[in-house]
Every structure is written in C-alpha cells, then in structure tokens.
Amino acid sequence: MKDLVSRCPIEEVMQVLSGRWPTLLIYYLKDGTKRFADLRRDNPTVSHRMLTLELRKLETAGIVQRTAFEGYPLRVEYDLTPAGLALVPLIDAISDWWEQNEPARARASGVAEVPAPQVAS
Amino acid sequence: MKDLVSRCPIEEVMQVLSGRWPTLLIYYLKDGTKRFADLRRDNPTVSHRMLTLELRKLETAGIVQRTAFEGYPLRVEYDLTPAGLALVPLIDAISDWWEQNEPARARASGVAEVPAPQVAS
DNA sequence: GCGTGGTGACAAAAAAGTGCGTAATTTACA
DNA sequence: TGTAAATTACGCACTTTTTTGTCACCACGC
C-alpha cells in the first residue's frame, strides 16, 4: 500500500476490496445499520483492531458511512453509502460467477497435461 | 489462507482475486495469449516468483490456462479460460463503479462531523 | 554466458492478532 | 447503599503470522 493512486482504477479498487473483510463487511451492512459490536458478532473471527481499520478504510473509500453519537455508553453506527449500495450487486455478480464456474475449477485442479508436444522447428 | 473452502462464495473468490496482481494479470491476458516473459514486461514491478505463484493460483482457480511446450528454449503460454473471459466484464464493472464514485470518495475523506449530538433520555 | 520458465531457501516487510487502557453510565449483588 | 464489574468503541504498543522479495540454481540451446 505504497501510494493510494495508481495508473489504472482496478489497482485502486483492489487496494480497498482486497482481503477477507471488506466484501464481507459490505455484505453484513447490506442488511442495514449496524453497530461495531454487531459486526463483531456477525463475524467473530475478526479482531477489533482489524474491524476498526477495515471500517476506516471503507469509510475513506466512500463505501461506508460512520455516524458517531455523543454520550455514554458510546454509540457508533455504520451504514453503506449510496456508492456502497451500488457496489453490492457487482460483488454479487462475481460471487455468482464463482459458483457457476465451480466445474471449471474442478477441471483445472485436475490433470496437468502437455497438450501439444512440439518438435523444434 | 488457512482453508480454501469457506461458508460463502465471496470469501472464496476474494482469496483468489485479492492482492495487486490477480486482476492486473487478468487484464493483460484479456488481450490474448501471453508468455511468462511478456507478462513480466507488461508489469516490471512483479517479481518472477510472485508471477509464477499468482499464475498458479489463477490456474487452479480455473481462470487461466497454462500451456507448456516441450523443447528448449522453454515455452509456456498463458490464456484466459472461458471462465476467465467471463470474469473480465465483471471486473470492468467494478472498475467503472470506482471511477464513477470518485466524488463520493472525495467527500468521505473530508470533514468528519458529529451529526446528532444526542442528549441523554 | 544469456534467455527461458521455473523451484527452493532464506530474509525483509507487511499484515494481523493480543492485551491494556480509557471514558461515563448502567447493572449486579451483597 | 455502596462498590465492583460490565458495556461501548476504540487507540496504542507489542508479538506473531503471513506475504513478498532476493538470490541462487536448474535445464538446455545458441
């Protein structure tokens, strides 16, 4: 993560969406407003440090809206922004693609044949 | 990357597509058959070790087709599989989404206001 | 002795987990 | 009634784990 800016947009998006959590968090937030503790309950394997870091990243990327309320006990709400909502069907599409291509994966992880053993010209 | 299998498909795809190289490699391969050295020339910053590792990953994921020819000098060709080709427009869509949401990002990285300072009930 | 497409060992760097502290209020319990 | 403890959403320092880079080496042919 040297520089946030790169030549092509794909590199930039992937800096945000790469990793286990970003897409998962987007999925959980798809259901509506969530609080920090809610998201931890949704996915118990994420550490609180990671969760804050990832949420901040999604926030600065304009995907997640963070709303902090004054007073104790603390209360912070997370929502998808309109941009974040627009991203959901795109992630869905990739998810569907993955499921549809399961047979292709099965084939690919199978035999590794040498298809055209060529003779030197 | 503990186990390759997880509950939901998104987690699985992201294990393959996460990182700088997977999507970039798919983009370069979109133009047609490429050899190992071609891909290194396309992106000089990837180390040869990373390139082999990433290509293997994409291969076992059924995205890339590897074709090795007998004889010296060695010759190995890489292509997108039909599944890989089907993935291209989906990545494109996310790339477009990213570009369209640049203004939203600009806003998000701006001020962080406290919207509703609530009084205790 | 360079190019080709790798593999493996080791080192550096990056990412992620762990545990502690913080604030004010609520609740738990003796 | 008093006090200890839990809750909430983190920040910070430290350690562990994972990822990535570097270098050397292989195979052969020109």
Side-chain angles (χ1 to χ4, degrees):
Chain A
M1 214 189 266
K2 283 287 168 60
D3 37 50
L4 229 74
V5 189
S6 63
R7 286 46 91 218
C8 65
I10 311 125
E11 261 191 275
E12 290 183 21
V13 208
M14 289 317 288
Q15 281 183 15
V16 176
L17 298 184
S18 278
R20 288 180 67 183
W21 310 121
T23 49
L24 270 188
L25 291 180
I26 290 168
Y27 255 64
Y28 286 127
L29 286 171
K30 177 176 71 165
D31 300 334
T33 303
K34 296 262 178 156
R35 297 180 57 178
F36 191 85
D38 292 331
L39 291 167
R40 291 216 65 187
R41 270 185 288 272
D42 284 338
N43 204 318
T45 60
V46 68
S47 66
H48 69 284
R49 185 172 166 277
M50 265 302 103
L51 187 51
T52 53
L53 289 176
E54 297 291 335
L55 285 171
R56 295 262 183 273
K57 193 170 72 174
L58 292 175
E59 194 193 351
T60 59
I63 295 170
V64 161
Q65 166 76 38
R66 192 185 110 104
T67 311
F69 297 91
E70 303 268 350
Y72 289 85
L74 293 170
R75 184 157 146 249
V76 180
E77 290 185 352
Y78 294 95
D79 295 272
L80 288 184
T81 62
L85 280 169
L87 180 58
V88 171
L90 306 182
I91 297 176
D92 274 332
I94 289 189
S95 177
D96 292 344
W97 166 86
W98 180 255
E99 291 189 297
Q100 281 164 19
N101 286 289
E102 190 160 358
R105 284 199 295 285
R107 256 175 281 125
S109 39
V111 237
E113 74 281 30
V114 181
Q118 297 213 326
V119 192
S121 59
Chain B
M1 212 191 267
K2 282 288 167 59
D3 38 53
L4 231 75
V5 188
S6 62
R7 288 43 94 215
C8 66
I10 311 127
E11 261 192 275
E12 290 183 21
V13 208
M14 289 318 288
Q15 281 183 15
V16 175
L17 298 185
S18 280
R20 288 180 67 183
W21 309 122
T23 48
L24 272 187
L25 292 179
I26 290 168
Y27 255 64
Y28 287 125
L29 287 170
K30 176 178 71 164
D31 300 333
T33 303
K34 297 261 178 158
R35 297 179 56 178
F36 189 85
D38 294 330
L39 291 168
R40 291 216 63 189
R41 271 184 288 273
D42 284 337
N43 205 318
T45 59
V46 67
S47 66
H48 65 285
R49 186 171 166 278
M50 262 303 102
L51 186 51
T52 53
L53 290 177
E54 296 291 333
L55 284 170
R56 294 263 182 271
K57 194 171 70 172
L58 291 175
E59 194 194 350
T60 58
I63 295 170
V64 161
Q65 167 75 38
R66 193 184 110 104
T67 313
F69 296 91
E70 302 268 351
Y72 289 87
L74 292 170
R75 183 159 146 249
V76 180
E77 290 184 351
Y78 292 96
D79 296 271
L80 288 183
T81 61
L85 281 170
L87 181 58
V88 171
L90 306 183
I91 297 176
D92 273 332
I94 288 189
S95 177
D96 292 343
W97 166 86
W98 181 255
E99 291 191 295
Q100 282 164 17
N101 286 290
E102 191 161 358
R105 284 198 296 285
R107 255 175 282 125
S109 37
V111 238
E113 73 280 32
V114 180
Q118 298 212 327
V119 192
S121 57

